[in-house]
Structures are given as structure tokens and as C-alpha cells.
């Protein structure tokens, strides 16, 4: 009964006041303030413009222009009695021209590429969002673990301090040697040092979380006493591996890169193809004369037709572009294979991590119960003289080390769950919210 109570108290020690920030609150704030996600959003918005830019090369191009001049003309002849001629005049003109591509294979392929790149950007943004979920969760639980280490160090210091006081009393009355006192003092001094390290670690972990949300976090909501790890669903590795190959975001991004590279080959080869454009133009000019005349005039003109351009020889440029595109396509294919292998590896690691962490939690619960029982037995043995103060100190240290390991196992389990879903490409805010609900004690 005492061991079960210890487990409940360990988890209850991880609970915080109702006013503490929970995991989803921190995540929502990170969504607003994390610069990495903000940069990914800006990149996504910029990429959306690739499609309309490429599409513009398939649409009409219209331009207008105008000119206006004031002229002062003078002609002088040398010799004789030829008079000097002089006149001032003005002229102006307006023009408009338009062209509509009728057949430009390269432009159509560029538009197809742009559409694929825009689709790919959605997955790139999703990767940034998944990475934020993981970074927030890791930073959040790192803070909680650092707080647990401080709490356990404080509790262990109190327990060892009691043993130290008892050793001193026993030495004073002559029922123990100075060795017991020295051993207890050494153990106490070690724990004081560990407590200092734990406090420094907490400051560091809180600083990491601050870099994500833009401010120093307040009290955080922690594990509730009813929390129990769950195994993956389905708990079949092959199912998760298949899902990773189909849905892993980095695999899908790499797949888009292959598509774009394949279209680039077609685009390069299209450099040999002719182009056909529909062209039209109209203009009007008017004026009050010219250098040789002072008659007013007004002239209009318009034309419409087709422009055909047939590439004959470009110095080997097209052939070189095709070879380059083929090499880049092979690079994209190999990158896709790397992404697939990484997805499989990360999924297997995540799957194993969830099962291993869940099993570790169960084993450490039992180990803590056994350690608590051993501590009670050693304390009783010390009272009757069959156990020394050092025996009690050693078992006390084992109890608190097991508590630390159990807290670490809980957090390892939670992060493993998120990493498994990220590797499978299914990690979302709903998964974080699910963990958040399970945390609240």
C-alpha cells in the first residue's frame, strides 16, 4: 500500500496549480511567436506566387507607348543671297501592341512545374508545423523533468539530512562510529551539489522554451497521477512502415522534387521546338509639320498577324540543358530514396521507442516498489542493528534514482509517441491536444 502511495505521490508531485500553463497554451503561443514557423509561413506565401508568375507567360502581353516632341528647325546656306529658312513644329504619337502565345511548350511546362512546387509548399509548411510540435513538446517536458530533478534532490537532501542527524546522535551516545557520520556527510554534500546542477539545468531548459515562445515561461501543468502509457495503435510495425512510405512528409516533398525534375527534362528538350505567337498593334501619330513642311498631318495604322520562330542552332545549349536536367532528375530520385529510408528508420525507432518506453515505465514502477520496500527493511534493520547507516544511505539513493528514471521514462514515452506519428506523417495538433488532456491531473 505504501509503495502504491509513493507512485501516486510521485506523479502528483508533477502536477501544478490550476493557473499553470498547459501544453496546448504554450503551443498556441509558440505558433504566434516562433520565428522558425514564421519564416516557413513567409516562404509558403512567397511560393504561392510561383504559379501566377508562370501562368503569366501563357497569357496576353499588352503594352502601350507614346511620344511627344517640340521642334525648332533652322536651315542656313552659305554664299549668295539664299534666305535662311526656319520653322517650329510639334509631333506626337500613341501606340499599343499585344501578343498572345499560341504555342510555347516551354512556358506550359514551366506552369506545370510551378503548380507542383506550390503543392509541395503545403507539405513543407506542414513539416515546419510538425517540427514546432516536437520542439514545443521536448522543451516543455525538459522543463518538467528539470523541475522533477530539483524536487527529488530536495526530498533526497531532506532524507539524507535526517540520516546525517541520526548518525551524529548515535556517535554522540557511542552506538556508532565516526565513519557513519562521515559517510552521511559526504552523501549530503554530494546531493547539495546535485541540487545546484539541477537548478542550473532548469534555468537552461526554461531558456530553450523562451526561444520558442518569446518569453520566459511561467508555471507549467504537469503529469497527472492517473496517467498511464498506451501502446501504439495498431501495435504492428509493418502497418506503421507502410504508412510512413505513403504519408511521411519528407518523402512526399522528395517525390515532388522528382516530378519537377522530370518536367525540367521535358522543358529543356522543348528548346528545340518552334514557337507561335499572335501579335497585334495599332498606332496614331500627328503633328504640325516637319523640318521641310509646315502642313499639319494625322496618321493611323493597325496590324495583326502571326509570329513563328523556329530554333535552328543554339550552340549546343539545348543539349547541355537536357544533360543537366537528366543529372538533376537522378539526384532527385536518390534524394527520394534517402527520404524513404530515413522514414522507415525513424518509424521503426519511434515504434520501438514507444513500446520500450511503455515497458520501461512498467518495469520502473515495479523497481520503485521494490526499492521502497528495501528502504523500509533497511531502516528497520538499522534500528535492530543488522544494517548500517551506509546501507540505508545506499538504498535511499537507489529509491530517488529510480524515481528520476521513472519520471524520465514517462517523458521519453510521450516524446516517442509524437516522434512515431511524425515519422509516419500523421502528427497533428490533435495528437498534442490528446497528450495535453492526459497530462491534466
Amino acid at each position: 500500500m505504501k509503495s502504491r502511495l509513493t507512485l501516486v505521490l510521485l506523479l502528483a508531485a508533477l502536477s501544478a496549480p490550476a493557473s499553470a500553463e498547459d501544453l496546448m497554451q504554450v503551443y498556441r503561443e509558440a505558433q504566434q511567436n516562433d520565428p522558425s514557423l514564421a519564416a516557413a509561413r513567409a516562404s509558403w506565401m512567397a511560393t504561392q506566387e510561383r504559379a501566377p508568375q508562370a501562368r503569366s507567360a501563357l497569357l496576353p502581353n499588352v503594352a502601350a507607348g507614346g511620344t511627344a516632341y517640340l521642334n525648332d528647325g533652322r536651315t542656313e546656306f552659305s554664299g549668295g543671297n539664299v534666305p535662311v529658312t526656319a520653322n517650329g513644329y510639334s509631333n506626337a504619337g500613341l501606340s499599343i501592341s499585344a501578343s498572345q502565345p499560341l504555342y510555347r511548350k516551354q512556358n506550359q511546362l514551366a506552369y506545370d512545374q510551378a503548380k507542383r512546387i506550390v503543392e509541395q509548399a503545403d507539405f513543407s509548411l506542414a513539416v515546419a508545423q510538425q517540427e514546432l510540435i516536437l520542439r514545443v513538446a521536448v522543451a516543455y517536458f525538459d522543463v518538467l523533468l528539470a523541475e522533477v530533478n530539483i524536487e527529488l534532490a530536495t526530498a533526497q537532501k531532506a532524507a539524507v539530512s535526517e540520516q546525517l542527524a541520526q548518525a551524529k546522535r548515535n556517535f554522540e551516545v557511542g552506538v556508532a562510529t565516526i565513519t557513519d557520520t562521515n559517510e552521511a556527510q559526504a552523501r549530503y554534500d554530494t546531493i547539495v551539489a546535485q541540487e545546484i546542477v539541477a537548478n542550473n539545468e532548469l534555468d537552461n531548459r526554461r531558456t530553450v522554451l523562451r526561444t520558442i515562445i518569446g518569453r520566459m515561461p511561467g508555471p507549467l501543468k504537469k503529469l497527472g497521477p492517473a496517467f498511464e502509457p498506451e501502446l501504439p495503435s495498431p501495435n504492428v510495425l509493418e502497418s506503421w512502415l507502410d504508412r510512413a512510405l505513403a504519408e511521411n512528409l519528407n518523402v512526399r516533398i522528395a517525390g515532388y522534387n522528382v516530378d519537377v525534375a522530370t518536367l525540367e527534362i521535358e522543358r529543356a528538350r522543348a528548346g528545340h521546338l518552334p514557337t507561335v505567337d499572335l501579335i497585334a498593334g495599332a498606332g496614331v501619330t500627328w503633328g504640325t509639320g516637319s523640318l521641310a513642311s509646315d502642313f499639319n498631318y494625322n496618321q493611323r495604322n493597325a496590324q495583326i498577324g502571326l509570329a513563328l520562330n523556329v530554333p535552328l542552332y543554339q550552340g549546343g545549349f539545348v543539349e547541355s540543358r537536357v544533360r543537366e536536367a537528366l543529372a538533376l532528375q537522378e539526384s532527385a530520385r536518390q534524394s527520394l530514396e534517402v527520404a524513404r529510408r530515413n522514414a522507415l528508420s525513424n518509424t521503426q525507432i519511434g515504434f520501438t521507442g514507444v513500446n520500450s518506453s511503455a515497458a520501461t515505465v512498467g518495469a520502473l514502477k515495479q523497481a520503485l516498489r521494490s526499492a521502497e520496500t528495501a528502504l523500509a527493511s533497511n531502516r528497520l534493520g538499522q534500528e535492530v542493528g543488522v544494517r548500517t547507516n551506509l546501507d540505508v544511505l545506499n538504498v535511499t539513493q537507489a529509491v530517488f534514482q529510480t524515481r528520476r528514471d521513472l519520471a524520465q521514462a514517462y517523458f521519453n514515452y510521450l516524446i516517442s509517441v509524437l516522434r512515431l506519428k511524425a515519422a509516419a506523417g500523421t502528427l497533428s495538433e490533435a495528437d498534442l491536444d490528446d497528450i495535453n488532456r492526459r497530462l491534466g491531473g
Side-chain angles (χ1 to χ4, degrees):
M1 182 65 180
K2 181 178 179 181
S3 298
R4 179 175 177 81
L5 178 61
T6 300
L7 286 173
V8 173
L9 291 176
L10 174 62
L11 292 177
L14 306 179
S15 60
S19 60
E21 301 174 78
D22 66 21
L23 182 57
M24 287 305 297
Q25 288 174 318
V26 173
Y27 173 68
R28 294 299 181 199
E29 193 163 353
Q31 285 182 306
Q32 299 298 320
N33 298 301
D34 179 60
S36 296
L37 182 60
R41 285 181 182 141
S43 179
W44 178 87
M45 293 178 64
T47 304
Q48 301 309 298
E49 302 303 323
R50 298 285 290 273
Q53 289 172 13
R55 184 170 177 266
S56 67
L58 301 174
L59 299 178
N61 191 320
V62 182
T67 59
Y69 298 96
L70 293 176
N71 303 276
D72 182 18
R74 175 179 292 271
T75 304
E76 296 182 2
F77 298 92
S78 61
N81 295 318
V82 180
V84 175
T85 61
N87 67 328
Y89 61 92
S90 64
N91 53 45
L94 293 175
S95 65
I96 184 170
S97 63
S99 65
Q100 169 63 57
L102 298 181
Y103 180 76
R104 285 183 176 265
K105 185 67 172 179
Q106 285 182 306
N107 292 2
Q108 181 61 56
L109 290 169
Y111 182 43
D112 293 340
Q113 283 181 310
K115 289 188 291 185
R116 300 296 285 170
I117 291 172
V118 169
E119 293 172 5
Q120 182 191 53
D122 293 338
F123 293 101
S124 296
L125 180 59
V127 167
Q129 292 168 336
Q130 285 193 349
E131 290 176 348
L132 179 64
I133 291 174
L134 289 172
R135 286 190 290 117
V136 167
V138 169
Y140 187 98
F141 294 132
D142 279 348
V143 171
L144 296 190
L145 183 60
E147 291 176 348
V148 168
N149 287 335
I150 291 176
E151 293 167 359
L152 292 178
T154 301
Q156 186 176 5
K157 184 172 69 173
V160 174
S161 177
E162 181 181 345
Q163 287 297 123
L164 175 61
Q166 182 178 351
K168 289 180 177 179
R169 288 193 300 269
N170 290 341
F171 175 71
E172 290 173 356
V173 298
V175 297
T177 66
I178 191 60
T179 301
D180 289 340
T181 301
N182 292 340
E183 289 170 345
Q185 184 66 56
R187 194 65 56 89
Y188 179 85
D189 294 339
T190 299
I191 296 171
V192 170
Q194 292 173 348
E195 187 179 32
I196 294 173
V197 172
N199 278 286
N200 289 337
E201 184 66 15
L202 175 60
D203 290 340
N204 294 337
R205 297 305 183 184
R206 286 168 56 83
T207 299
V208 171
L209 188 54
R210 182 181 65 181
T211 63
I212 301 176
I213 64 176
R215 63 168 178 82
M216 192 63 75
L220 301 180
K221 194 172 184 179
K222 306 178 183 180
L223 282 176
F227 177 81
E228 287 293 336
E230 297 178 356
L231 297 179
S233 179
N235 196 16
V236 179
L237 176 59
E238 287 71 19
S239 176
W240 285 93
L241 294 177
D242 292 340
R243 186 181 302 178
L245 290 177
E247 301 182 32
N248 180 274
L249 297 183
N250 288 315
V251 170
R252 302 186 76 168
I253 290 172
Y256 274 101
N257 286 335
V258 173
D259 294 343
V260 171
T262 301
L263 288 171
E264 184 63 23
I265 295 174
E266 297 182 40
R267 185 181 173 193
R269 286 173 175 160
H272 284 306
L273 300 177
T275 62
V276 181
D277 298 326
L278 174 66
I279 58 174
V284 58
T285 59
W286 66 91
T288 60
S290 66
L291 188 61
S293 169
D294 58 0
F295 293 105
N296 294 341
Y297 67 91
N298 190 301
Q299 179 180 353
R300 293 181 178 86
N301 65 82
Q303 64 276 335
I304 186 170
L306 296 175
L308 171 66
N309 180 54
V310 181
L312 297 179
Y313 180 68
Q314 301 177 60
F317 175 78
V318 174
E319 291 78 3
S320 176
R321 285 280 291 111
V322 170
R323 292 193 297 270
E324 177 189 25
L326 286 169
L328 291 176
Q329 182 196 48
E330 180 60 23
S331 175
R333 285 175 175 170
Q334 295 302 324
S335 295
L336 173 59
E337 181 60 24
V338 170
R340 289 167 59 88
R341 294 184 185 185
N342 287 340
L344 293 175
S345 176
N346 292 336
T347 300
Q348 182 158 1
I349 291 173
F351 181 86
T352 303
V354 173
N355 281 278
S356 175
S357 298
T360 300
V361 168
L364 286 173
K365 283 183 178 181
Q366 180 59 48
L368 182 57
R369 286 190 286 267
S370 299
E372 289 283 357
T373 301
L375 177 59
S377 299
N378 274 268
R379 283 175 174 168
L380 179 60
Q382 184 183 23
E383 292 176 2
V384 299
V386 296
R387 286 288 185 269
T388 66
N389 190 62
L390 179 59
D391 294 330
V392 175
L393 290 174
N394 288 336
V395 178
T396 300
Q397 181 177 0
V399 168
F400 283 97
Q401 183 60 51
T402 304
R403 290 179 181 174
R404 288 190 183 92
D405 293 343
L406 179 57
Q408 179 72 71
Y410 274 117
F411 297 133
N412 286 345
Y413 165 79
L414 294 171
I415 297 301
S416 294
V417 169
L418 296 178
R419 291 193 187 280
L420 173 60
K421 293 186 176 182
T426 63
L427 179 63
S428 67
E429 293 181 14
D431 298 308
L432 197 67
D433 189 46
D434 179 63
I435 288 179
N436 189 58
R437 290 194 299 269
R438 296 173 65 193
L439 287 179

